[in-house]
Amino acid sequence: QIDECAINIDPGFRFRDNLASNPNIELKCFDPMNSPAKYRDYMGTLLQRKRVEADYFHRETNEYRHPDFECIWSTGGEYQFRTRQVLRRKFEYYQFCHECMGSENE
């Protein structure tokens, strides 16, 4: 099923493993579920503020999901573990994230 979901994804389109060894690029990783504030604070030191700031307006873009009923979340830990293994093997980005999380670059 991973192949079916990733049919239009070029595994190296946005990330290649050799980026990690490029001296002009400092790669960081952030856990989107646990540390959105860390990402915002870090990027806030690098990006310019908008010239014209506006109040936030929420726009619905995706259908509401029910994570408790999605197959990967309702199965045992073994299925989730194997899915992560396949993603790390097929996509360099997932392998980078796996190695980066918990390191000094998180």
Side-chain angles (χ1 to χ4, degrees):
Q1 282 187 321
I2 291 172
D3 288 333
E4 290 178 24
C5 293
I7 195 164
N8 293 321
I9 297 174
D10 175 0
F13 176 67
R14 301 188 86 184
F15 181 86
R16 294 241 190 256
D17 195 37
N18 62 0
L19 289 174
S21 61
N22 186 321
N24 298 321
I25 299 174
E26 181 181 357
L27 295 178
K28 299 284 188 185
C29 54
F30 298 88
D31 183 345
M33 305 309 278
N34 296 322
S35 60
K38 286 183 183 179
Y39 175 77
R40 185 192 63 232
D41 293 344
Y42 176 76
M43 293 305 292
T45 65
L46 302 173
L47 300 176
Q48 296 177 350
R49 295 190 68 77
K50 291 181 177 182
R51 289 185 188 173
V52 178
E53 293 194 25
D55 291 334
Y56 174 76
F57 177 76
H58 180 75
R59 293 169 182 83
E60 291 292 335
T61 57
N62 297 324
E63 293 181 22
Y64 180 76
R65 292 177 46 203
H66 300 280
D68 294 338
F69 301 108
E70 293 177 2
C71 63
I72 194 167
W73 305 120
S74 61
T75 61
E78 177 67 19
Y79 184 77
Q80 294 175 23
F81 175 77
R82 294 179 131 209
T83 300
R84 288 184 180 103
Q85 280 185 318
V86 170
L87 289 171
R88 287 195 304 268
R89 190 171 55 248
K90 291 181 74 70
F91 301 102
E92 294 176 5
Y93 175 76
Y94 284 97
Q95 182 60 34
F96 166 78
C97 291
H98 177 71
E99 294 170 358
C100 184
M101 297 307 289
S103 74
E104 63 186 22
N105 288 321
E106 180 178 2

